[in-house]
Amino acid sequence: MKQKDSLDCQSRRLEHSFRLTRVGVTGVKKPVTVHRDGRDRHLTATIDVFVDLPSTQRGSHMSRNVEVVTEMIEESVRKKVSSLEELAAKICKKLLDRHEYASFAEVNMSADYFLERKPVGGKASLEPFKLMAKATAMRGNGLMKLVGVEVQGMTACPCAMETVKHKLQLKHPELRHVPADTPMISHNQRNRTTLIIEVPEQVEIEADDLVGIVESSLSSPTYGILKRDDEANIVMKAHENPKFVEDVVREILGRLLVKYKGLDNSVHVTVRSESEESIHKHNAFAERVTTLGELRS
Amino acid sequence: MKQKDSLDCQSRRLEHSFRLTRVGVTGVKKPVTVHRDGRDRHLTATIDVFVDLPSTQRGSHMSRNVEVVTEMIEESVRKKVSSLEELAAKICKKLLDRHEYASFAEVNMSADYFLERKPVGGKASLEPFKLMAKATAMRGNGLMKLVGVEVQGMTACPCAMETVKHKLQLKHPELRHVPADTPMISHNQRNRTTLIIEVPEQVEIEADDLVGIVESSLSSPTYGILKRDDEANIVMKAHENPKFVEDVVREILGRLLVKYKGLDNSVHVTVRSESEESIHKHNAFAERVTTLGELRS
Amino acid sequence: MKQKDSLDCQSRRLEHSFRLTRVGVTGVKKPVTVHRDGRDRHLTATIDVFVDLPSTQRGSHMSRNVEVVTEMIEESVRKKVSSLEELAAKICKKLLDRHEYASFAEVNMSADYFLERKPVGGKASLEPFKLMAKATAMRGNGLMKLVGVEVQGMTACPCAMETVKHKLQLKHPELRHVPADTPMISHNQRNRTTLIIEVPEQVEIEADDLVGIVESSLSSPTYGILKRDDEANIVMKAHENPKFVEDVVREILGRLLVKYKGLDNSVHVTVRSESEESIHKHNAFAERVTTLGELRS
Amino acid sequence: MKQKDSLDCQSRRLEHSFRLTRVGVTGVKKPVTVHRDGRDRHLTATIDVFVDLPSTQRGSHMSRNVEVVTEMIEESVRKKVSSLEELAAKICKKLLDRHEYASFAEVNMSADYFLERKPVGGKASLEPFKLMAKATAMRGNGLMKLVGVEVQGMTACPCAMETVKHKLQLKHPELRHVPADTPMISHNQRNRTTLIIEVPEQVEIEADDLVGIVESSLSSPTYGILKRDDEANIVMKAHENPKFVEDVVREILGRLLVKYKGLDNSVHVTVRSESEESIHKHNAFAERVTTLGELRS
């Protein structure tokens, strides 16, 4: 097979060249099944995988990336995986096995997924969320796994609400007598919030819990089916809980500290909230990139 | 040049083949300057152009499409064009000249553009809108031109507002005494509305007027800069003008009849409004595809 | 419940208003299971549903749309549906039941789906395709169903190939002696082709067959995993079958006539092919919108 | 103005809360004019701006962000700016002036822009590129500016080319006699490459030079208008310069070292190349994130 080897362009040796930080494939789509709490979740995942490349080697063997993804997904049908991040971690380790020249590997996965939600007094329906998973590995150095969710919900602006109340009370003095906590009109809008947390070895973090943490930190969750009464309840609830994007991020940070008391200080956390402002054509944005240790100090 | 001709794959004759409805290029980006009201508007246009193809010819000469686009844009620098749809029409005619085998040509163009807007008592800023133009031509049969705009604005829901008012009045009887037209909380959200109208020969339609028609048919326009007071005014204005997407489309249709009294019954009109609902993860949508004649009857 | 009725904003009667062509919801995401050939396919569907609205009624009852979608998907778990278009048709009929004022209903669905593919001599993997379904109904007038697929594949340009061959033979006379059908270098690129066909009553059309028709009309299908040898085979195959987008559309039309001999002349067909040209920053595009009858004549 | 102050929700003091990394607005669209080499370039810029927020303050004053953007763009009309990154830097500094509580500011801008390009022997046309600029500032600590470009071009695969040559020579022995450097068929495709470099104080970096560096590191640039002969030349050129995404990134790194010999070791560089593979449905990707110093060592 000498001939074959001479066709291995990728392994050709380079001199005076440059190391590459990440080389791989992006936008691979695959059906994935995650087995959790006794039932299968069928996901359509979009996957990016990378390894680094030493300065002496011309190319990474790209087809090995998709082979590894395919093999590990097939294995996950036989030996069920309980989470997308577990699958990402398995792919990550296997990438280092297969790319013997690499010292680093990274896997990113995302998929739509659904949870049943029911507004108080209303009808249950399946709401869509986005599930994200990431794994990175340094050769010989263990593994880092992260799980994340993107949640759509509703924010009502606290600032506009107070200014409007002040203006309306000047105009309609009878409004001064309603209780101070009566919700007042404001602008409200669709919000997208992302929460990503590192998953230490031996720990399981439920993506569903992350969705719950985000939903309870918004002015209100949103729902597919709302009859007239449910709609009014959601609108009132949102205006009783007006939130800046800043408030949303901080509430999530606070809830994380309570929920994950047992997790190590070194655990990475990213929270990002974006409100598609109804009064502007641009969005409002807030973000914190941190560790549990920093948050606790 | 016999050799050259034999390389003209596109002109090769086919038997027993099929006519094609549209063949061309999509996603061509070009800088375009429109001269109107004494000043230049610099646009970054995205352009699609098509002709039909008879069953006997293998291929359309694709490079001619981009040549025509480029030539007509260059000519528009010397002999100024006053609108994107005028430029689209010129390209359309030239496509039929250049593709001698075609009997139909179509050009679609779109670009971001900006108009100065100032909330009452607030600061002026340039607001972004989307400008659209279309032209189609049948050989020997004149030309059809259309101009359109996409406008982002705000809608507040009339239905939630009434249900909330009813519920709040049950809870806080003092609220029954405020005037019936006092705005009440509701859900409100970013809305995108598109208005497209045919431009008959010898007629000019101002895109800026179309933007104005859409903005005045929403619950409120939206603005880049809103200080605290302006924000409250916009929020109150939107809640004093609650609108379903259905209302938005119908108000625009009504305003079109008033504004364009002089235009022919045959003039095509499309109005489409989509609210990115703050209480749902999906959008609400309404559309009318019609002619001025149908609307007048 | 008199009070309740007075809150029904949507049913409020209008005078001198306008009919609306389509009113509904867009971007609803739901998990859907289609049962076919003895196995379940789990899809993440994106769904738009519309009805028309008479001029006398203020609003469509938007929440009924999502209720109908949810109910029909739930029913499809108990009474299995064999295709996305069957589900779209069921939703369409139920929309007319639930919106008693409507005379027209429309449902559009799309989802990623996967089929196993294996390059000759290579490794099988699941390839992603896009499945599309549409149903429309006029009250009392039966139903129209359509099924479609979007397929990514590869096109190699026949024109560049011939010009290059001519130029290379001038430069390297020994190249004149290779057989005329030896593939020559050309530009090749990712192509996206859409095939949509009406599904008459009592007829089943396999989406998988549509994918097959498109794949065999491209220069070559594409694959997730290609080892060195497979890659060379695919590249040679593509260059032995160079195709303009025009050729792709016409080959599909030809194959449709052969495959669906039994279908009625009235059956609607749309074929659209777009090549993301490697030598340009824009795309090449060809389309035919027609009926089987027109194609047969 | 006591009343006014009590409405300043954003300035309300918090206890036991969290610092936020970035708070601001995203997706602001504005027309911007850059004056360079004696002529005006009219850009439609998309802008994100952020500051950090101390743990003691509830909200950032979002409207100040858009005010600052608007003011600095207006000022740039009077006192011409010579680059997008200069404008980004001015906005960044002003953000720290206006948000007195912030210690960090960040501005990201991007816009389509056009350069004239002419294939050898062919027609000149304006080709679209993407211009990017970023500025960050720490209070009291100077400023970091970056300029970047995204360039679309063409890559032809070196690996497939060699395997195909080997296979074709087995089949057609006469092909063994063509010179070794005769280009052979391969897969080729649209590639998008991004090059971002830090711009030190007192230094000007021409975005046009960055585009040139990327274009000359691809298998070939691409063009809007290519007549038959030009097309063949480009296809041959690309196949005479086959490139992996890894090669593209490394060539750019090499050219940067030659071009910017005078720049400091601390200068940040990011190069990212993505090929939209014609033989796969996914992309190939390579990236280096580094400094000039690391590259020089």
Side-chain angles (χ1 to χ4, degrees):
Chain A
M1 295 304 287
K2 199 72 206 311
Q3 185 56 57
K4 209 72 199 279
D5 288 345
S6 82
L7 293 174
D8 185 356
C9 284
Q10 285 84 357
S11 297
R12 225 151 273 169
R13 288 191 66 76
L14 300 176
E15 287 185 30
H16 310 300
S17 190
F18 305 103
R19 199 173 72 74
L20 294 178
T21 315
R22 297 193 302 171
V23 177
V25 295
T26 61
V28 176
K29 280 194 179 181
K30 290 285 174 191
V32 168
T33 303
V34 169
H35 188 81
R36 198 161 186 125
D37 303 331
R39 68 184 190 81
D40 285 340
R41 286 186 184 178
H42 303 284
L43 306 172
T44 297
T46 302
I47 309 170
D48 301 339
V49 311
F50 310 101
V51 294
D52 64 344
L53 191 66
S55 66
T56 49
Q57 180 161 331
R58 183 173 179 197
S60 185
H61 294 84
M62 296 284 192
S63 69
R64 295 184 192 171
N65 296 324
V66 188
E67 277 182 309
V68 167
V69 166
T70 304
E71 287 167 27
M72 298 321 293
I73 291 176
E74 277 168 12
E75 191 186 293
S76 80
V77 175
R78 294 189 306 274
K79 306 190 207 167
K80 296 169 189 280
V81 289
S82 66
S83 69
L84 211 53
E85 65 274 18
E86 186 193 331
L87 180 56
K90 281 171 190 270
I91 293 171
C92 217
K93 279 189 231 169
K94 187 69 98 182
L95 286 171
L96 286 182
D97 289 351
R98 212 62 69 81
H99 295 279
E100 62 287 346
Y101 42 79
S103 62
F104 167 81
E106 176 181 333
V107 175
N108 294 300
M109 306 180 83
S110 69
D112 288 323
Y113 90 119
F114 296 87
L115 295 175
E116 193 171 273
R117 286 293 184 263
K118 200 173 105 51
V120 177
K123 288 194 184 188
S125 78
L126 286 171
E127 294 295 320
F129 302 98
K130 197 173 187 179
L131 184 60
M132 291 171 282
K134 180 174 182 167
T136 59
M138 298 295 292
R139 190 176 294 282
N141 230 357
L143 198 71
M144 188 185 191
K145 281 184 298 180
L146 298 109
V147 60
V149 294
E150 186 193 280
V151 176
Q152 283 186 50
M154 186 179 181
T155 51
C157 177
C159 171
M161 190 178 292
E162 295 208 17
T163 322
V164 166
K165 183 181 281 185
H166 176 65
K167 282 178 157 256
L168 278 180
Q169 286 174 343
L170 286 178
K171 198 169 159 192
H172 303 295
E174 54 277 47
L175 281 175
R176 290 182 206 162
H177 308 302
V178 298
D181 64 345
T182 309
M184 188 50 63
I185 64 170
S186 186
H187 65 92
N188 53 78
Q189 53 264 318
R190 196 177 286 177
N191 172 286
R192 286 172 210 270
T193 294
T194 299
L195 163 55
I196 301 169
I197 186 167
E198 188 185 343
V199 183
E201 280 295 305
Q202 315 299 340
V203 171
E204 290 230 332
I205 291 183
E206 294 285 339
D208 301 9
D209 289 341
L210 301 180
V211 171
I213 287 171
V214 176
E215 284 191 313
S216 56
S217 303
L218 294 161
S219 292
S220 172
T222 57
Y223 299 91
I225 304 176
L226 292 173
K227 302 309 288 183
R228 194 163 293 122
D229 225 57
D230 311 323
E231 189 185 12
N233 290 337
I234 294 300
V235 167
M236 288 196 292
K237 179 181 170 179
H239 287 76
E240 287 158 1
N241 294 286
K243 300 271 172 74
F244 291 129
V245 280
E246 293 95 323
D247 298 326
V248 173
V249 172
R250 282 163 165 163
E251 280 212 29
I252 291 170
L253 295 172
R255 284 175 208 273
L256 284 173
L257 288 189
V258 173
K259 176 80 188 175
Y260 299 110
K261 277 203 189 71
L263 293 192
D264 204 82
N265 273 343
S266 66
V267 164
H268 283 270
V269 170
T270 298
V271 184
R272 192 176 291 133
S273 185
E274 195 155 6
S275 280
E276 301 173 359
E277 299 283 286
S278 64
I279 56 164
H280 297 303
K281 296 175 187 74
H282 60 258
N283 298 344
F285 175 98
E287 182 187 63
R288 178 73 192 270
V289 180
T290 188
T291 60
L292 288 182
E294 280 190 343
L295 292 177
R296 284 167 183 156
S297 68
Chain B
M1 296 302 289
K2 199 73 207 311
Q3 187 57 57
K4 207 77 196 276
D5 288 344
S6 82
L7 292 175
D8 184 357
C9 283
Q10 285 83 358
S11 296
R12 224 150 273 169
R13 289 193 63 78
L14 300 176
E15 287 186 28
H16 312 301
S17 191
F18 305 103
R19 196 174 74 74
L20 293 178
T21 314
R22 299 193 301 172
V23 177
V25 295
T26 61
V28 177
K29 281 195 179 180
K30 290 284 175 194
V32 169
T33 302
V34 169
H35 189 80
R36 200 164 185 122
D37 303 331
R39 66 182 191 84
D40 285 339
R41 286 187 186 178
H42 303 285
L43 306 172
T44 296
T46 302
I47 309 170
D48 302 338
V49 312
F50 311 102
V51 295
D52 65 343
L53 192 66
S55 66
T56 50
Q57 180 162 333
R58 183 171 179 198
S60 186
H61 295 82
M62 296 284 192
S63 68
R64 295 184 191 171
N65 295 325
V66 187
E67 278 183 308
V68 167
V69 166
T70 304
E71 286 167 28
M72 299 320 294
I73 290 175
E74 277 168 12
E75 193 187 290
S76 80
V77 175
R78 296 187 305 274
K79 307 190 205 169
K80 295 170 189 279
V81 288
S82 67
S83 69
L84 211 54
E85 64 273 18
E86 187 192 331
L87 179 57
K90 281 171 189 270
I91 293 172
C92 216
K93 279 190 230 168
K94 187 67 98 184
L95 285 172
L96 286 182
D97 290 353
R98 210 62 69 81
H99 295 279
E100 63 287 344
Y101 43 80
S103 63
F104 167 82
E106 178 181 331
V107 175
N108 294 300
M109 304 180 84
S110 69
D112 289 323
Y113 90 120
F114 296 86
L115 295 174
E116 193 172 273
R117 289 289 185 264
K118 200 174 105 48
V120 177
K123 290 195 182 187
S125 77
L126 286 171
E127 294 294 320
F129 302 97
K130 197 173 185 179
L131 184 60
M132 291 171 282
K134 179 175 183 166
T136 58
M138 299 294 294
R139 191 177 292 283
N141 230 357
L143 198 70
M144 187 182 193
K145 281 185 298 182
L146 297 109
V147 60
V149 295
E150 187 193 278
V151 177
Q152 283 186 49
M154 185 180 181
T155 51
C157 177
C159 172
M161 191 178 291
E162 295 208 17
T163 321
V164 166
K165 183 181 281 185
H166 176 66
K167 282 179 157 255
L168 278 179
Q169 285 174 342
L170 286 179
K171 199 168 157 193
H172 303 295
E174 55 277 47
L175 281 175
R176 289 182 208 162
H177 308 302
V178 299
D181 64 346
T182 309
M184 187 51 64
I185 64 170
S186 186
H187 64 92
N188 53 78
Q189 53 264 318
R190 197 178 284 177
N191 172 286
R192 285 172 208 271
T193 293
T194 300
L195 163 56
I196 301 168
I197 186 166
E198 188 184 343
V199 183
E201 280 294 306
Q202 317 298 340
V203 171
E204 290 229 334
I205 292 183
E206 293 284 340
D208 301 9
D209 289 341
L210 301 181
V211 171
I213 287 171
V214 175
E215 284 191 313
S216 56
S217 303
L218 294 162
S219 292
S220 172
T222 57
Y223 300 91
I225 304 176
L226 292 172
K227 301 309 287 181
R228 194 162 293 124
D229 224 57
D230 311 323
E231 188 184 13
N233 290 337
I234 293 300
V235 167
M236 287 197 291
K237 180 181 171 181
H239 287 77
E240 286 158 1
N241 293 286
K243 299 274 172 73
F244 291 129
V245 279
E246 294 94 322
D247 298 326
V248 173
V249 172
R250 282 164 165 160
E251 281 211 28
I252 291 170
L253 295 172
R255 283 175 208 271
L256 284 173
L257 289 189
V258 173
K259 176 81 187 173
Y260 299 111
K261 276 203 189 73
L263 293 191
D264 204 81
N265 273 342
S266 66
V267 164
H268 284 270
V269 169
T270 297
V271 184
R272 193 177 292 133
S273 187
E274 195 155 5
S275 281
E276 300 174 359
E277 300 281 287
S278 64
I279 55 163
H280 296 302
K281 297 174 186 77
H282 59 257
N283 298 344
F285 175 97
E287 181 189 62
R288 180 72 191 270
V289 180
T290 187
T291 61
L292 288 182
E294 280 190 344
L295 292 177
R296 284 165 183 156
S297 68
Chain C
M1 297 304 291
K2 198 74 206 310
Q3 185 57 56
K4 205 75 195 279
D5 288 345
S6 81
L7 293 174
D8 184 358
C9 282
Q10 285 84 357
S11 296
R12 225 151 272 168
R13 289 191 65 76
L14 300 177
E15 287 185 29
H16 311 300
S17 190
F18 305 103
R19 195 174 77 74
L20 294 177
T21 314
R22 298 194 301 172
V23 177
V25 295
T26 61
V28 177
K29 279 195 180 181
K30 290 285 175 193
V32 168
T33 302
V34 169
H35 189 81
R36 201 162 184 124
D37 303 331
R39 67 184 191 83
D40 285 341
R41 286 187 187 177
H42 303 282
L43 307 172
T44 297
T46 302
I47 309 170
D48 300 340
V49 310
F50 310 103
V51 295
D52 64 342
L53 192 67
S55 66
T56 49
Q57 179 162 332
R58 183 172 179 198
S60 184
H61 295 83
M62 295 285 191
S63 68
R64 294 183 192 172
N65 295 325
V66 188
E67 278 183 309
V68 166
V69 166
T70 304
E71 287 168 26
M72 299 319 295
I73 290 176
E74 278 169 10
E75 193 187 291
S76 80
V77 175
R78 295 188 307 273
K79 306 190 205 168
K80 294 169 190 279
V81 287
S82 66
S83 70
L84 211 54
E85 65 272 19
E86 186 192 332
L87 179 58
K90 281 171 191 270
I91 293 171
C92 216
K93 279 189 230 170
K94 187 68 95 183
L95 285 171
L96 286 182
D97 290 353
R98 211 63 70 80
H99 295 279
E100 63 286 346
Y101 43 79
S103 63
F104 167 81
E106 178 181 330
V107 175
N108 293 301
M109 304 180 84
S110 70
D112 288 323
Y113 91 119
F114 296 87
L115 294 175
E116 193 173 273
R117 287 292 185 263
K118 199 173 105 47
V120 177
K123 290 195 183 188
S125 78
L126 287 171
E127 294 294 321
F129 302 97
K130 198 172 186 181
L131 184 60
M132 292 171 281
K134 179 174 182 166
T136 59
M138 299 294 294
R139 190 175 292 283
N141 230 358
L143 197 72
M144 186 183 193
K145 280 184 300 183
L146 297 109
V147 60
V149 294
E150 186 192 278
V151 176
Q152 283 186 50
M154 185 181 183
T155 52
C157 177
C159 172
M161 192 178 292
E162 295 208 16
T163 322
V164 166
K165 183 180 283 186
H166 176 65
K167 283 177 157 257
L168 278 180
Q169 286 174 342
L170 286 179
K171 199 170 158 191
H172 303 296
E174 55 278 45
L175 281 174
R176 288 182 207 160
H177 308 302
V178 299
D181 63 345
T182 308
M184 187 50 63
I185 64 171
S186 185
H187 64 91
N188 54 77
Q189 54 263 320
R190 198 177 283 177
N191 171 286
R192 286 173 208 270
T193 294
T194 299
L195 163 55
I196 301 169
I197 186 166
E198 187 185 343
V199 183
E201 280 294 306
Q202 316 299 339
V203 171
E204 290 230 333
I205 291 182
E206 293 284 340
D208 301 7
D209 289 342
L210 301 180
V211 172
I213 287 171
V214 175
E215 283 191 314
S216 55
S217 303
L218 294 162
S219 292
S220 172
T222 56
Y223 300 90
I225 304 177
L226 292 173
K227 301 310 285 184
R228 196 163 292 125
D229 224 57
D230 311 324
E231 189 185 12
N233 290 337
I234 293 300
V235 167
M236 287 196 291
K237 181 181 171 180
H239 287 77
E240 286 158 2
N241 294 286
K243 300 273 171 73
F244 291 130
V245 280
E246 294 94 322
D247 298 325
V248 173
V249 172
R250 282 164 166 162
E251 281 210 29
I252 291 170
L253 295 172
R255 284 174 207 272
L256 284 173
L257 289 188
V258 173
K259 176 80 187 175
Y260 299 110
K261 278 203 185 75
L263 293 191
D264 204 82
N265 275 341
S266 65
V267 164
H268 284 270
V269 170
T270 296
V271 184
R272 193 176 292 134
S273 186
E274 197 156 4
S275 280
E276 301 173 0
E277 299 282 284
S278 64
I279 56 163
H280 296 304
K281 296 176 186 74
H282 60 258
N283 299 343
F285 175 97
E287 181 188 64
R288 179 72 193 270
V289 180
T290 187
T291 60
L292 288 182
E294 280 189 343
L295 292 177
R296 284 165 183 157
S297 69
Chain D
M1 294 302 290
K2 198 74 206 311
Q3 185 57 56
K4 207 68 196 285
D5 288 345
S6 83
L7 292 174
D8 184 356
C9 282
Q10 286 84 358
S11 296
R12 223 152 273 168
R13 288 192 65 77
L14 299 178
E15 288 185 27
H16 310 302
S17 191
F18 305 102
R19 196 174 74 75
L20 293 177
T21 315
R22 299 194 299 171
V23 177
V25 295
T26 62
V28 177
K29 280 194 180 182
K30 289 285 175 194
V32 168
T33 302
V34 169
H35 189 81
R36 198 162 185 124
D37 303 331
R39 66 183 191 82
D40 284 341
R41 287 187 184 177
H42 303 283
L43 307 172
T44 297
T46 302
I47 309 169
D48 301 340
V49 312
F50 310 102
V51 295
D52 65 342
L53 191 67
S55 65
T56 48
Q57 180 162 332
R58 183 172 180 198
S60 185
H61 295 83
M62 296 284 192
S63 69
R64 294 183 192 172
N65 296 325
V66 188
E67 277 182 311
V68 166
V69 166
T70 304
E71 287 167 28
M72 299 320 293
I73 291 176
E74 277 168 11
E75 192 187 291
S76 79
V77 174
R78 296 189 306 274
K79 306 189 204 168
K80 294 170 192 279
V81 287
S82 66
S83 69
L84 212 53
E85 64 273 18
E86 186 192 331
L87 179 56
K90 281 170 190 271
I91 293 171
C92 217
K93 279 189 232 169
K94 187 68 98 184
L95 285 172
L96 285 182
D97 288 352
R98 210 63 69 81
H99 296 278
E100 63 287 346
Y101 42 80
S103 62
F104 167 82
E106 177 181 331
V107 174
N108 294 301
M109 306 181 82
S110 69
D112 287 323
Y113 91 118
F114 297 87
L115 294 175
E116 193 172 271
R117 288 291 184 263
K118 199 173 105 48
V120 176
K123 290 194 183 189
S125 78
L126 287 171
E127 294 294 319
F129 302 98
K130 198 173 186 179
L131 185 59
M132 292 171 282
K134 180 173 181 166
T136 58
M138 298 295 294
R139 189 176 294 281
N141 229 356
L143 198 70
M144 186 184 194
K145 282 185 297 182
L146 297 109
V147 61
V149 295
E150 186 193 279
V151 176
Q152 283 186 50
M154 185 179 181
T155 51
C157 177
C159 171
M161 190 177 292
E162 295 208 16
T163 322
V164 166
K165 183 180 283 186
H166 176 65
K167 282 179 159 254
L168 278 179
Q169 286 175 341
L170 286 179
K171 199 170 158 191
H172 303 297
E174 55 277 46
L175 283 174
R176 289 181 206 163
H177 308 303
V178 299
D181 64 343
T182 308
M184 188 51 64
I185 63 172
S186 186
H187 64 91
N188 54 78
Q189 53 263 320
R190 196 176 286 176
N191 171 286
R192 286 172 208 271
T193 294
T194 300
L195 163 56
I196 301 167
I197 185 165
E198 187 184 343
V199 183
E201 279 296 306
Q202 315 298 340
V203 172
E204 290 232 332
I205 291 183
E206 293 285 339
D208 301 9
D209 289 341
L210 301 180
V211 171
I213 287 172
V214 176
E215 283 191 312
S216 56
S217 304
L218 294 162
S219 292
S220 173
T222 57
Y223 300 91
I225 303 177
L226 291 173
K227 301 311 286 184
R228 196 163 293 124
D229 225 56
D230 312 323
E231 189 185 12
N233 290 337
I234 293 301
V235 167
M236 287 195 294
K237 180 181 172 180
H239 287 77
E240 286 158 0
N241 294 285
K243 299 272 172 72
F244 292 129
V245 280
E246 294 94 324
D247 298 326
V248 173
V249 172
R250 282 164 166 163
E251 281 211 28
I252 292 169
L253 296 172
R255 285 174 206 272
L256 285 173
L257 289 189
V258 174
K259 177 80 187 174
Y260 299 110
K261 278 203 188 73
L263 293 191
D264 203 83
N265 274 342
S266 66
V267 163
H268 283 270
V269 169
T270 297
V271 184
R272 192 176 293 133
S273 186
E274 195 156 6
S275 280
E276 301 173 359
E277 299 282 286
S278 64
I279 56 163
H280 297 302
K281 296 174 185 76
H282 59 257
N283 298 344
F285 175 98
E287 182 187 62
R288 180 73 192 268
V289 181
T290 186
T291 61
L292 288 182
E294 280 190 342
L295 293 177
R296 285 166 183 157
S297 66

